[in-house]
Each structure stands twice: as structure tokens, then as C-alpha cells.
Amino acid sequence: MGRWRIDLSRSNNQGTLTKVDVPAPNSLDLNFNLEVDEASMTMSTEMQLAAKQRQVSALSYSPGKSLFTTAFMLWMSGNSIQIFSIMMTGMALINPLKAIASVNQTFKPFEKEEGINLYIPKLIFISLQILSLGVAVYKCSTMGLLPLTSSDWVSYLPVKPYLEHAGIPL
């Protein structure tokens, strides 16, 4: 196995090594052309517009990517009322609401671009956030936090008047 060696006795008059004194490593091309063609560096406006449209599309579908992860975490937290399941359900409820409230802020970097339609991507983003919110509401239902049965509304029923009274004779 070859080793790199530098002979320090072969230096110039100032006591430093020169470029000629240090051999180049194997397979190094010292005649490499560093010039870059300008045509390969610039993109056409159609290609830039298509790339930005792909970025907007990826941003609009990003809530769908985390939907199954959220559903799995909600499933793993269980149906009992505990601090972990309440925290997971609360975050699953709050995060989509925050994202829906800030949809214009999310797409703000792309609003100044000419030729990019943001209506459809915003609708996709909002619909996926509503779907995520629906998963969280379903979790609240399975935990018994939503008043869905008739027994949850018993206190609002009117009291029936008694037509007869019975008592023990003395």
C-alpha cells in the first residue's frame, strides 16, 4: 500500500513547500475546466412557473401527509380519559383550526407570482385540514366527550306533572 510522502528537504529558498514539490493524488485532473455554460444555469420562465406550481401543490397536499400519522397517534392514545389522550385529542383539534386560520399566511410567498392560481391549492389545503379536524372530532366521539346520546340531554327535558299522588294511610 502506497503512502503519501512529502520530502521536506526539497523546499525552496524560503523554507516552504511549493505546489510543484507536493505531488497530486492519483486520479486528480489538474486541467479541469471550471467554466460554466450560462445556458445551463438559467431556466425558462415556463420551467420556473412549473417549478413554483409544483411547490404550491406540495404545500397544499402537506396536511394529507400527516393525516394518517395523526390518526395513528389518536388510535394509540386509547379511548379512556387520561392526560395523554386529552393532550393528543386537543392538539388534533387545535392544529387544523390554526392552519385554517392562517391559510393566507401559509401561501403568502406565492401570492406575488404571476400565473400561479392559488384558489384550488388553498381549497385542497383547507379540505385536508377539515378532514383532519373530522378525525379529531371522531376521536372525541369515541372517548365520550361529545353529547350524542339522549341521556346526555336529560337535564333539558321538561318535568312531567304528576296526575295522582299516593300515600300511606295513617
Side-chain angles (χ1 to χ4, degrees), residues 57-123:
S57 175
L59 182 62
S60 68
Y61 285 110
S62 62
K65 293 177 183 176
S66 64
L67 184 65
F68 292 110
T69 305
T70 303
F72 180 71
M73 288 300 294
L74 289 174
W75 177 71
M76 289 296 292
S77 67
N79 288 338
S80 61
I81 307 293
Q82 297 175 358
I83 189 70
F84 182 72
S85 60
I86 293 292
M87 284 187 342
M88 287 299 301
T89 307
M91 291 305 288
L93 285 169
I94 290 172
N95 286 340
L97 293 175
K98 284 183 183 177
I100 290 171
S102 65
V103 68
N104 287 332
Q105 190 70 18
T106 304
F107 286 93
K108 190 171 187 149
F110 300 105
E111 286 179 353
K112 296 177 183 173
E113 301 296 330
E114 292 292 326
I116 295 180
N117 186 6
L118 293 179
Y119 295 119
I120 300 298
K122 283 182 181 181
L123 285 175

Side-chain angles (χ1 to χ4, degrees), residues 138-154:
Y138 175 75
K139 177 64 177 181
C140 288
S141 171
T142 60
M143 290 174 69
L145 297 176
L146 295 179
L148 298 176
T149 62
S150 60
S151 63
D152 293 327
W153 303 99
V154 168

Side-chain angles (χ1 to χ4, degrees), residues 29-66:
D29 185 16
L30 294 176
N31 297 324
F32 184 71
N33 186 8
L34 294 176
E35 293 179 16
V36 179
D37 185 22
E38 288 295 324
S40 66
M41 297 269 305
T42 59
M43 290 176 54
S44 67
T45 57
E46 294 85 17
M47 291 177 64
Q48 287 178 353
L49 187 63
K52 288 181 182 178
Q53 191 68 38
R54 281 192 305 269
Q55 287 177 346
V56 168
S57 175
L59 182 62
S60 68
Y61 285 110
S62 62
K65 293 177 183 176
S66 64

